[in-house]
Amino acid sequence: MKKFLLICLNVFLYAGVVPLVEPNQAPSKGGLISPELIEAIPHWHKYGELFLYLQTHWVKLIFLIVLIAVPSVFLIHYLIIGPKIFSHKGRNFLIFPSWQRIIHWIAAAGWILLVPTGFIVIYGAFFGGGPFVRFARYLHVIGAVLFAIVVLPMTIMWLKDMLPRLWDIKWMMILGGYLVKRKQEIPAHKFNAGQKMWYWFAMFGGIIMIITGVMMYFQNFDLSKWHLGLFQIDLLRLAVIIHLTLALILVALFFTHLYMSLFAIKGSLDSMISGCKSEEELKYLHSIFYKEIIKKGEDKELSEKCPPLKED
Amino acid sequence: MYEYARMKFYCDEDRCIDCHGCEVACSDANELPVGIHRRKVITLNEGIEGKEFSVSIACMHCTDAPCFQVCPVECFYIREDGIVLHDKDKCIGCGYCLYACPFGAPQFPRDGAFGIRGVMDKCTMCAGGPAPTFSIKERELYGQNRIAEGKVPMCAAICSTNALIVGDAAHVAAIKRARDAAKGKGAMTPYGWDQAYK
């Protein structure tokens, strides 16, 4: 009996210790940090909350959609409309001199490192984290350095040819003729409107990517002295939000660029390897440029620099 | 109704005297590299009479920890007692946790080649990490495991004015409530850091 009473007493004693409110779900108003503290930190939740929302709800989903949808669209295009095949016999014209090709391939090497490693970091949990993903993050930096070296020379070397022209509207109206099977003369100079779009996004978007990337790499940029209401941490948050948003556009365009050069126009990759484009390809896909070199009589000079392919 | 303890820090701004003792004790006890401060003492509203106060800030071990939510490699885990910890072997040092954290708790030592950012380091509430308890690896990567030893985290242990208190959220709130009542501050709202952003 005595023992029983003792147990009862113990039960009552410990019952008093049990908190009446479940501590894991303590009321959220107030908080263990006093409200004064939070109010004293200006803009404390400005971009942090936005970044938290984007990262938890959208980032992985949207990048997965781009990763699947863009190649799928091109696969359907390839199966239904098919690639454009041009004769590579006959005359070839030098379009990209060697120094332009070198610059292009340095940037390309950078992007080939940047895009997959970026995806590996976003889906780091899928790859299990640790040394592999960490290594991908380091490669991302190396790719960025490669691209950063050539981004300005590349911007300058093609700037004149990339300025928007009136016929770009026509190109946009027919979507470059990629939706029809037949060959037709496409209004484009040295670069068509699609290439121009890629150029402007990749060069200026790329510069913004480098700037925001450098901010995230060093983590010590401080604009708070400029009275922009942008504190050091908010600048970092803004940088990562911009970096991810632009990455989405650039990745989609990068896939487009790969599809166009590798699959959609057969043999167009050669023009970036040897620098030469075939007469037929030029005539149809860059009709305005072709007419111009014929009119100016530059065609002989340009074709002399490119040996004609052996006829077989 | 559960009996789980929910471990929380609370720094009583009425008591903190800006002595930075907790900062020094933490860095020393956990042998942190130079430049890493898991705990920081900050003074807010400096120079404004009646409004100036100091508090000690570290990881708040949020219930809905944003770092836990945004980590791309999912290296964070929340213990049953609410302590938010992370796995340094998994961490890639991307910095997302820092961008998401409202308190600036995650920090990155520059220990790699070319000053490359290393893996993240933050307050563990002196509870070590995922490495075996009391192992050398745990000691080197995460610092002391005072919780497993049955001790109070170093910062709270040395706080000379008892401004920094740590423990089950309900108990910590009770202490704060009693202190406020003694001062005649009136009834306080219940405490409990539940959501990081609200």
Side-chain angles (χ1 to χ4, degrees):
Chain A
M1 192 62 197
K2 221 178 177 181
K3 234 177 191 175
F4 177 69
L5 274 175
L6 212 69
I7 290 167
C8 278
L9 195 70
N10 266 333
V11 167
F12 282 111
L13 270 176
Y14 284 115
V17 182
V18 175
L20 292 172
V21 182
E22 198 239 313
N24 286 1
Q25 289 176 349
S28 55
K29 268 178 199 161
L32 266 180
I33 280 278
S34 60
E36 299 98 76
L37 169 61
I38 294 307
E39 279 156 25
I41 306 170
H43 309 290
W44 70 284
H45 62 332
K46 205 174 178 183
Y47 295 113
E49 204 168 3
L50 177 65
F51 172 67
L52 178 65
Y53 171 73
L54 291 174
Q55 174 68 13
T56 49
H57 289 77
W58 293 106
V59 171
K60 284 184 184 183
L61 181 72
I62 292 187
F63 274 94
L64 191 68
I65 290 172
V66 167
L67 189 62
I68 292 168
V70 176
S72 308
V73 167
F74 291 139
L75 183 68
I76 292 164
H77 176 266
Y78 193 82
L79 293 175
I80 294 175
I81 295 159
K84 291 214 184 305
I85 300 158
F86 295 101
S87 165
H88 284 251
K89 289 165 193 166
R91 289 203 297 177
N92 279 301
F93 300 100
L94 184 73
I95 303 296
F96 300 114
S98 59
W99 61 278
Q100 287 193 357
R101 266 143 43 206
I102 292 167
I103 288 175
H104 171 270
W105 284 113
I106 294 172
W111 279 68
I112 287 165
L113 284 177
L114 282 167
V115 175
T117 53
F119 272 105
I120 291 171
V121 170
I122 289 172
Y123 300 105
F126 178 78
F127 296 98
F132 174 69
V133 184
R134 215 175 293 150
F135 183 64
R137 195 171 74 83
Y138 299 156
L139 282 183
H140 201 74
V141 175
I142 292 166
V145 170
L146 281 177
F147 179 58
I149 291 167
V150 292
V151 66
L152 283 178
M154 207 170 175
T155 310
I156 295 160
M157 80 183 183
W158 283 331
L159 184 65
K160 206 178 127 240
D161 294 317
M162 290 293 187
L163 292 172
R165 305 294 288 263
L166 212 57
W167 52 73
D168 290 334
I169 300 166
K170 266 193 220 159
W171 190 94
M172 285 290 183
M173 302 272 268
I174 57 167
L175 265 173
Y178 288 111
L179 298 182
V180 287
K181 278 186 178 178
R182 71 190 152 80
K183 287 176 191 173
Q184 54 177 351
E185 284 193 5
I186 307 293
H189 197 255
K190 196 168 174 179
F191 296 108
N192 65 39
Q195 287 172 305
K196 285 177 186 178
M197 196 167 74
W198 168 231
Y199 167 86
W200 290 104
F201 270 106
M203 294 301 111
F204 290 90
I207 289 168
I208 294 168
M209 290 295 272
I210 291 166
I211 293 169
T212 51
V214 165
M215 279 177 178
M216 288 191 283
Y217 183 81
F218 290 108
Q219 289 188 336
N220 57 2
F221 284 73
D222 192 2
L223 299 183
S224 57
K225 283 171 202 146
W226 297 9
H227 303 287
L228 297 169
L230 207 59
F231 287 80
Q232 222 179 331
I233 184 69
D234 263 341
L235 188 68
L236 275 172
R237 288 160 175 168
L238 203 60
V240 71
I241 292 167
I242 292 171
H243 200 82
L244 286 172
T245 316
L246 259 177
L248 199 69
I249 301 166
L250 292 181
V251 161
L253 288 171
F254 179 66
F255 286 160
T256 313
H257 186 59
L258 282 187
Y259 174 67
M260 287 297 161
S261 56
L262 294 176
F263 303 107
I265 306 147
K266 285 273 178 255
S268 68
L269 189 64
D270 290 339
S271 66
M272 216 17 114
I273 295 168
S274 64
C276 302
K277 250 185 176 0
S278 74
E279 187 161 20
E280 201 192 19
E281 195 179 323
L282 218 53
K283 197 171 150 190
Y284 285 111
L285 290 184
H286 300 274
S287 61
I288 295 165
F289 179 69
Y290 180 71
K291 279 170 197 158
E292 197 182 283
I293 57 167
I294 297 288
K295 204 174 151 193
K296 281 186 181 170
E298 287 170 353
D299 54 327
K300 240 185 197 145
E301 196 195 324
L302 288 174
S303 67
E304 271 169 11
K305 288 175 188 165
C306 278
L309 289 175
K310 276 179 201 162
E311 300 205 14
D312 44 356
Chain B
M1 211 148 85
Y2 300 101
E3 287 178 58
Y4 295 141
R6 176 94 223 168
M7 297 291 277
K8 294 287 178 192
F9 277 119
Y10 183 77
C11 183
D12 194 338
E13 67 274 14
D14 296 333
R15 284 186 176 223
C16 181
I17 55 166
D18 197 17
C19 74
H20 292 252
C22 45
E23 228 181 270
V24 177
C26 171
S27 298
D28 185 51
N30 294 311
E31 286 164 38
L32 302 181
V34 175
I36 298 290
H37 304 278
R38 288 184 180 177
R39 183 163 279 289
K40 278 167 273 189
V41 178
I42 54 165
T43 301
L44 293 161
N45 297 327
E46 204 164 356
I48 304 170
E49 218 172 297
K51 275 189 157 183
E52 182 181 306
F53 64 93
S54 296
V55 279
S56 171
I57 277 201
C59 173
M60 298 308 293
H61 299 273
C62 309
T63 307
D64 66 335
C67 50
F68 173 85
Q69 293 180 52
V70 298
C71 181
V73 294
E74 291 170 12
C75 75
F76 286 89
Y77 63 101
I78 301 176
R79 282 171 35 145
E80 273 183 45
D81 56 7
I83 300 177
V84 181
L85 296 176
H86 73 294
D87 188 342
K88 283 194 179 180
D89 290 335
K90 252 190 192 178
C91 174
I92 58 167
C94 66
Y96 277 23
C97 46
L98 171 65
Y99 311 146
C101 179
F103 306 106
Q107 291 167 51
F108 299 88
R110 297 203 168 271
D111 51 6
F114 307 108
I116 205 159
R117 198 165 65 224
V119 296
M120 190 269 277
D121 187 89
K122 78 169 188 69
C123 161
T124 61
M125 210 185 259
C126 286
T133 305
F134 302 138
S135 63
I136 291 167
K137 191 186 173 192
E138 185 191 46
R139 169 85 203 185
E140 279 177 353
L141 286 181
Y142 308 97
Q144 288 193 27
N145 194 342
R146 292 173 62 89
I147 297 281
E149 289 173 7
K151 293 177 186 165
V152 172
M154 200 64 211
C155 50
I158 67 101
C159 184
S160 57
T161 60
N162 277 350
L164 191 62
I165 42 180
V166 60
D168 180 9
H171 292 276
V172 169
I175 292 170
K176 174 64 180 162
R177 227 178 277 127
R179 282 181 185 176
D180 286 339
K183 278 199 199 108
K185 263 190 158 184
M188 289 291 293
T189 46
Y191 284 89
W193 189 256
D194 199 41
Q195 286 170 303
Y197 289 103
K198 58 179 172 241

